[in-house]
Amino acid sequence: MQHDEVQSLKATRDQIHEHLMKGIIPFWYDRSIDSKYGGYITAFDAHGGLLVDDPHKYIVMQTRMVWSFSAFARFLPGGDPGKARMQAAARQGVDFLIAHMWDDVYGGWYWRVAQD
């Protein structure tokens, strides 16, 4: 690999890191965690405003958010205080899935549930 190729890859890595740390992670962490009902709120407009058209929580987005917060936690170095916050965010999503999206009567998962 040529020196300029290595430099280009490092620059791309740095851009991705900055986008995650200053954009993606704060956007979702600050908005999506539903501290009142559990799980995640995921319906936002392009500016981060809450959309009220659909007050439901869907299994696909709930599981994607668990995966995302888990991946964010793995991405952060061990001493970073954000790591524990990402792990807690993932855990509360798992707890919500088990408590509210699992069908105890027939088995399997509900496709959607009301936000509350």
Side-chain angles (χ1 to χ4, degrees):
M1 193 175 267
Q2 300 291 331
H3 176 73
D4 56 337
E5 292 173 317
V6 171
Q7 292 305 108
S8 177
L9 287 173
K10 286 181 179 180
T12 300
R13 179 199 61 205
D14 291 345
Q15 287 175 336
I16 292 168
H17 182 268
E18 182 172 348
H19 189 60
L20 280 168
M21 298 303 291
K22 293 182 179 178
I24 293 172
I25 294 174
F27 179 93
W28 288 106
Y29 184 81
D30 294 345
R31 289 171 178 81
S32 69
I33 297 170
D34 187 345
S35 57
K36 186 172 183 179
Y37 299 115
Y40 309 104
I41 300 166
T42 59
F44 301 102
D45 64 22
H47 305 289
L50 183 62
L51 295 174
V52 293
D53 297 77
D54 188 6
H56 295 96
K57 293 179 179 173
Y58 294 86
I59 188 78
V60 173
M61 282 305 296
Q62 297 301 303
T63 56
R64 283 180 181 169
M65 294 303 293
V66 168
W67 181 90
S68 295
F69 284 122
S70 298
F72 296 158
R74 291 188 65 198
F75 168 78
L76 295 170
D80 190 309
K83 187 175 194 77
R85 288 194 310 267
M86 296 302 116
Q87 290 169 329
R91 166 53 56 197
Q92 73 94 30
V94 170
D95 292 344
F96 178 83
L97 286 167
I98 293 168
H100 302 290
M101 297 201 82
W102 177 253
D103 184 344
D104 285 328
V105 176
Y106 300 106
W109 302 94
Y110 295 115
W111 179 250
R112 76 176 190 183
V113 296
Q115 182 174 330
D116 61 356

